[in-house]
Amino acid sequence: MSAQLFVVATPIGHLDDMTFRAIEVLKSVSVVAAEDTRQSAQLLKHYNIATPLTACHDHNESNKINILIERLKNGEDIALVSDAGTPLISDPGFKLVRAAQEHNIRVIPVPGACAAIAALSAVGLPSDRFSFEGFLASKQSQRLLQLEKLKHETQTMIIYEAPHRILECVKDMVEVFGAERPVGFAREITKTFETIKKMTLAELRTFIENDHHQQKGEIVLVIGGATEEHDVNQEKLDKLLLRLLEDLSVKAASQLVADLTGIKKKIAYQRALELTQKD
Ligand code: SAM
């Protein structure tokens, strides 16, 4: 008698990024459990889907689960959607999926858009091994601790970040991972102002500092994994700069470091400034 729970991915911007199967499933189920019913109503309207919606979000998920499980047991198919992309990926749904499994209800994924995977597929960093870190803590002290734990991770790392925190977050990454660590910046994927770039962390900091538009919209950061080269370079660079700063100005010390090591003068200068400000 028991029916099926479909976990349906929806677009992350461009409405055409909806699969044929997702449309069919949303049309066929008894109810669509949505993170925000107003948001999903627009999507359903766009595809002429008349299925009723019911709210299932972080704040009511626990209470709502029993009702949804009861409906599934009574033979009603249900689709779970979030505001954008794949449910459960930094979005609600985990508790419902777990409860469905516990009640022996079949859970069927209907794959589609996911910002993390879209970013990884286009930024040009190694994609054979990667970790998804979701959102980092909003408090700087906690964020720095999280970054310290990731410092020696050799896999590519995918991070979601809110636009109003992006600059602070990138500054912290420069501090912990080092100025030269490669990073992919994927903003507003599939939307009008889509920006996809690969550069170093120091270059990204300058890029978003100089262009405030880059601090708006939705953003995924893809961080290159640690290599011995990065670890050693950062340590060596700091040591060299600190020694030179004992006798030289920031400008002279960074010029010399750039000449000696071949790293960009802007990066050496920025790091020299940070090191002098720390003292
Ligand atoms: N479930 C979604 C998915 O599958 O990607 C993620 C939802 S999470 C609440 C929202 C975050 O995903 C945003 O803050 C941003 O980091 C990322 N994101 C979602 N859509 C995006 C887009 N079009 N471009 C860049 N990042 C996006």
Side-chain angles (χ1 to χ4, degrees):
M1 183 64 187
S2 141
Q4 303 163 107
L5 172 66
F6 294 91
V7 183
V8 182
T10 57
I12 55 168
H14 199 306
L15 278 180
D16 288 354
D17 288 336
M18 186 77 176
T19 67
F20 291 120
R21 185 166 166 238
I23 297 168
E24 285 315 308
V25 166
L26 293 183
K27 277 184 178 163
S28 72
V29 293
S30 303
V31 67
V32 176
E35 183 185 6
D36 176 347
T37 50
R38 277 175 307 177
Q39 176 94 11
S40 298
Q42 289 175 22
L43 181 75
L44 266 55
K45 191 169 167 224
H46 183 82
Y47 284 102
N48 289 321
I49 300 169
T51 311
L53 283 153
T54 187
C56 184
H57 43 67
D58 271 343
H59 306 293
N60 78 347
E61 199 180 0
S62 302
N63 300 336
K64 203 60 187 269
I65 285 171
N66 293 340
I67 301 169
L68 294 173
I69 294 290
E70 218 35 56
R71 290 184 73 164
L72 284 157
K73 281 174 144 180
N74 287 333
E76 290 185 89
D77 283 342
I78 294 179
L80 171 70
V81 297
S82 60
D83 288 356
T86 303
L88 281 83
I89 307 301
S90 291
D91 265 341
F94 166 65
K95 289 181 191 156
L96 177 62
V97 167
R98 185 178 55 185
Q101 280 187 341
E102 283 166 4
H103 287 84
N104 293 319
I105 291 158
R106 189 167 166 213
V107 180
I108 301 178
V110 181
C114 174
I117 301 301
L120 183 66
S121 73
V123 295
L125 282 166
S127 54
D128 50 341
R129 289 168 62 242
F130 64 90
S131 67
F132 174 64
E133 304 298 332
F135 287 95
L136 297 179
S138 52
K139 228 173 139 199
Q140 192 191 28
S141 54
Q142 283 173 19
R143 188 165 63 229
L144 285 169
L145 277 178
Q146 289 175 319
L147 292 174
E148 278 296 338
K149 282 188 191 154
L150 294 173
K151 186 175 176 176
H152 301 293
E153 175 58 67
T154 55
Q155 304 182 95
T156 297
M157 291 160 275
I158 305 175
I159 287 167
Y160 285 168
E161 191 49 281
H164 62 277
R165 267 198 300 270
I166 189 68
L167 184 57
E168 293 315 307
C169 179
V170 170
K171 282 182 179 172
D172 288 347
M173 286 179 178
V174 172
E175 180 72 33
V176 179
F177 294 154
E180 290 191 86
R181 184 76 77 95
V183 59
F185 177 73
R187 189 178 76 89
E188 294 288 89
I189 303 168
T190 75
K191 303 188 211 176
T192 312
F193 297 106
E194 181 179 86
T195 310
I196 298 192
K197 284 182 177 293
K198 186 178 71 171
M199 50 195 129
T200 66
L201 277 172
E203 286 167 340
L204 177 60
R205 177 182 53 194
T206 308
F207 176 63
I208 55 184
E209 247 169 359
N210 292 346
D211 179 357
H212 284 255
H213 292 111
Q214 304 304 330
Q215 296 176 42
K216 292 188 179 134
E218 297 194 280
I219 300 164
V220 182
L221 293 178
V222 184
I223 317 293
T227 61
E228 236 169 67
E229 188 195 350
H230 291 131
D231 281 357
V232 174
N233 273 354
Q234 188 62 40
E235 230 173 81
K236 273 193 182 158
L237 172 69
D238 285 0
K239 227 172 161 181
L240 188 58
L241 274 171
L242 283 169
R243 174 64 193 87
L244 291 172
L245 285 167
E246 285 173 17
D247 301 318
L248 299 172
S249 67
V250 166
K251 198 174 166 204
S254 45
Q255 179 65 67
L256 200 51
V257 163
D259 291 346
L260 290 172
T261 65
I263 73 162
K264 289 190 181 132
K265 193 182 159 205
K266 208 165 61 181
I267 292 173
Y269 184 79
Q270 190 64 41
R271 186 62 188 154
L273 271 184
E274 284 167 6
L275 291 172
T276 45
Q277 277 157 11
K278 260 188 185 174
D279 295 337

